[in-house]
Amino acid sequence: MKMRKKAMIVMSLLTLLLVLSACGSREEIYGRIAKISGDRIIVDNGTYNSVDGNKGCDPAFHSDGSQSSYSLGEEIDTVGLPEDTVVKLTISNHKVTAIETLETEDSSAMSVPPEGQPSSLAAVYVIDGQKKTSSNETYGSNQSNIDTILVKNKGTFHMRGGTLTKTGDTTSEEKSEGYGLNALFTASGGSSATLDSTQFTSSGNGANAVFAIGKNTKIDADAFDIYTSGISSSGLEATQGGSIYASEGMITTKGSSSAPLAVGSENGTLQVSNTEIRSSGRRSPCIFSSGTVTATSLTGTASNSPIAMLDNGGKVALDNCLLLGAGDYGFLMQPQSGNIKSGKTLLKIKNSKLTSTAKGPMFYISGLNGTAILESTSLYYDNTVLAEVNRNSSFTLKAASQDLKGTIKYARGSSVLLKLTKGSTFKGTFRASSHSGSASITLDPSSVWTVTSDCHVHSITNRDTSCRNIKSNGHTVYYNASHPSNSWLRGKTISLPGGGTLTPEQ
């Protein structure tokens, strides 16, 4: 009896120690999201200062230059969490069990503009409902929050051979990105402007070069030269119904969050042709789109960012373009600043040459439903990972007369569909990080899939029912026999060229 009592005491003590150990391993850390990939999150380490009204302090995150990597718990949903979001992580046994997003005053991530129209913009030169012209004149603003030129209330302005300069920082990056505060040139309220052979130079933060906002607002720019060096200072930006049509230009941006071409809301429009663009800041892709961007014969380099970043509902169409990007991905499709509005995120590329020096995938999709349509386009990257689809996301990749290489990765709760037509080729495989995701592929008779490893597909549709267009290299492709799209296979095992098989999952 005494022995049993002692054993019970020992067991209780062991249980208590285990509980205390588990509690002791739980900690809370502050960080800034550097990357979310599959079931892991990488954060910049640092300290976070919350709002202190008595001391007049704004919330701010200060990085110490180091990074940490953690696995994500099964219950964690990262949809709508873009990079550079400051967070508080709850860590237990090196696994994230909770994420809390935090506000920062100095965050310069590109944000979706708030609804509404600018009501109190000020400028050195204002055209208010009037019709004005300017030839070979110089305008400058060196004051904070003061635009150089503002055209509003259905005004009309034609500038030829002008020079615009801007110094002085914005006091609100949100208003600069959303309304054109502190910009070189802003047109709003249904106004129209024509800018011929004009030079734009800004050195302030939040000093966009050419900005169009509001329904029926239109800017035409030709033979222009734009240079911005501050953060959150894009080249051309259209938002909330505004449109910009530009050609024969040169755009250079140096600061972070300063895309040469940007559309800040889903109904903004930007059309650009025969233009050269360059960016060197972080989060400064050649193109940022929450709306519609169409580019023809565009040449550009983003030396520290992806080729393009597409927000939820963003659309980008490229034709005969030569673009190079760096950063973490070739193309990033992800909601920005918590934007979770619904919408079709679409990337269309044809007759172009695209190069990515990133170590990550050519296409990275997180937190939205994205589609990419590629035709007769050359892709230059390390050929390791073609696309990566993060958790609770979907991606459709359509290829016509297109060569594709690499692995297509997909995470828990995500789906990917690859469509090969018009003689397209795919030399690669599918790889899942969780059994709850799904991959599907369709081929027409002229297209070929060269398999590089064993893989699983949820569904496979092949107009060549003999499957002679699947070169197996001795690998096995497993399919879900119960899926309706696979009924044509009748649950059979098909021998493939190269010694491999197409076989039902057990």
Side-chain angles (χ1 to χ4, degrees):
M1 190 72 177
K2 290 183 179 180
M3 292 295 293
R4 175 186 282 183
K5 191 171 183 180
K6 287 182 179 179
M8 291 179 65
I9 293 172
V10 170
M11 289 297 294
S12 298
L13 288 172
L14 287 173
T15 301
L16 179 60
L17 286 172
L18 287 171
V19 170
L20 290 173
S21 176
C23 292
S25 65
R26 181 179 180 274
E27 61 176 332
E28 293 180 340
I29 66 149
Y30 295 101
R32 182 173 56 209
I33 297 175
K35 185 178 182 180
I36 298 176
S37 180
D39 294 329
R40 298 200 68 81
I41 183 172
I42 300 173
V43 296
D44 298 324
N45 298 317
T47 58
Y48 176 75
N49 298 324
S50 59
V51 178
D52 189 339
N54 295 326
K55 296 182 179 180
C57 294
D58 294 318
F61 175 80
H62 303 282
S63 173
D64 63 13
S66 65
Q67 290 187 331
S68 295
S69 176
Y70 304 97
S71 61
L72 293 167
E74 292 289 326
E75 73 281 3
I76 298 298
D77 186 356
T78 58
V79 173
L81 274 180
E83 294 177 8
D84 297 300
T85 300
V86 176
V87 293
K88 181 170 73 172
L89 304 180
T90 301
I91 310 296
S92 179
N93 296 324
H94 301 289
K95 181 174 288 188
V96 177
T97 58
I99 299 179
E100 178 185 350
T101 59
L102 303 172
E103 294 183 358
T104 57
E105 181 66 21
D106 62 346
S107 172
S108 58
M110 201 167 294
S111 61
V112 177
E115 295 299 323
Q117 296 290 337
S119 57
S120 59
L121 288 183
V124 171
Y125 182 42
V126 179
I127 298 94
D128 187 355
Q130 303 164 302
K131 185 176 181 179
K132 296 285 186 177
T133 62
S134 174
S135 180
N136 299 316
E137 294 184 277
T138 298
Y139 301 87
S141 169
N142 58 10
Q143 301 179 58
S144 177
N145 296 334
I146 303 298
D147 291 21
T148 302
I149 294 180
L150 171 64
V151 187
K152 63 180 185 178
N153 294 326
K154 298 182 180 181
T156 302
F157 184 58
H158 185 182
M159 170 174 273
R160 180 183 296 276
T163 299
L164 276 67
T165 62
K166 179 75 184 79
T167 59
D169 297 338
T170 182
T171 58
S172 172
E173 288 176 7
E174 181 183 33
K175 290 181 180 178
S176 291
E177 294 172 1
Y179 303 132
L181 178 72
N182 204 52
L184 277 156
F185 185 95
T186 299
S188 67
S191 299
S192 61
T194 302
L195 308 172
D196 293 331
S197 303
T198 303
Q199 293 186 336
F200 304 85
T201 304
S202 73
S203 59
N205 294 331
N208 297 292
V210 178
F211 198 97
I213 178 172
K215 185 177 180 180
N216 298 322
T217 299
K218 178 183 175 183
I219 297 175
D220 290 288
D222 183 65
F224 57 91
D225 193 331
I226 290 173
Y227 179 91
T228 71
S229 58
I231 64 174
S232 296
S233 300
S234 295
L236 304 175
E237 182 163 355
T239 187
Q240 298 186 35
S243 301
I244 298 177
Y245 302 87
S247 63
E248 305 291 342
M250 176 71 194
I251 304 173
T252 301
T253 68
K254 295 291 188 179
S256 62
S257 300
S258 300
L261 307 178
V263 174
S265 72
E266 57 186 317
N267 55 355
T269 301
L270 182 57
Q271 293 187 17
V272 182
S273 63
N274 299 300
T275 292
E276 182 177 351
I277 59 178
R278 293 194 297 255
S279 74
S280 55
R282 290 186 65 225
R283 303 180 303 278
S284 299
C286 293
I287 300 168
F288 173 84
S289 179
S290 285
T292 301
V293 178
T294 303
T296 304
S297 299
L298 180 71
T299 301
T301 299
S303 61
N304 204 21
S305 299
I307 296 170
M309 293 170 57
L310 284 75
D311 194 8
N312 209 347
K315 298 175 178 62
V316 172
L318 306 175
D319 187 5
N320 191 35
C321 294
L322 179 62
L323 300 172
L324 183 147
D328 293 320
Y329 322 104
F331 291 85
L332 173 63
M333 296 182 176
Q334 184 180 56
Q336 300 299 305
S337 299
N339 174 26
I340 56 173
K341 68 179 186 297
S342 61
K344 185 177 182 181
T345 303
L346 177 63
L347 176 65
K348 297 178 67 176
I349 310 171
K350 65 179 181 177
N351 304 319
S352 297
K353 293 183 179 180
L354 308 171
T355 301
S356 173
T357 61
K359 294 181 180 180
M362 191 66 179
F363 303 96
Y364 184 79
I365 300 87
S366 180
L368 51 73
N369 301 322
T371 298
I373 303 173
L374 306 181
E375 181 177 358
S376 303
T377 289
S378 299
L379 302 177
Y380 301 97
Y381 59 110
D382 68 3
N383 295 328
T384 302
V385 180
L386 173 62
E388 182 175 348
V389 187
N390 204 359
R391 295 192 292 180
N392 302 314
S393 308
S394 69
F395 182 51
T396 298
L397 178 56
K398 300 179 181 179
S401 303
Q402 182 69 46
D403 294 327
L404 300 172
K405 293 181 181 180
T407 299
I408 297 178
K409 299 169 63 176
Y410 57 98
R412 185 180 76 242
S414 67
S415 64
V416 60
L417 169 61
L418 175 62
K419 293 185 176 182
L420 303 177
T421 62
K422 296 182 179 180
S424 293
T425 65
F426 172 49
K427 184 178 182 180
T429 189
F430 297 93
R431 192 170 78 204
S433 63
S434 171
H435 291 300
S436 64
S438 67
S440 302
I441 185 171
T442 68
L443 303 91
D444 71 2
S446 66
S447 299
V448 175
W449 176 18
T450 300
V451 186
T452 56
S453 73
D454 292 357
C455 60
H456 296 256
V457 293
H458 194 57
S459 70
I460 179 169
T461 303
N462 194 350
R463 291 181 61 190
D464 178 357
T465 55
S466 69
C467 294
R468 307 313 293 172
N469 57 350
I470 302 178
K471 312 300 181 183
S472 69
N473 289 317
H475 298 297
T476 301
V477 178
Y478 297 92
Y479 70 91
N480 181 358
S482 64
H483 193 282
S485 296
N486 299 329
S487 60
W488 63 281
L489 291 167
R490 300 179 181 178
K492 296 181 179 180
T493 295
I494 307 294
S495 296
L496 300 174
T501 60
L502 177 61
T503 189
E505 296 176 336
Q506 299 300 320

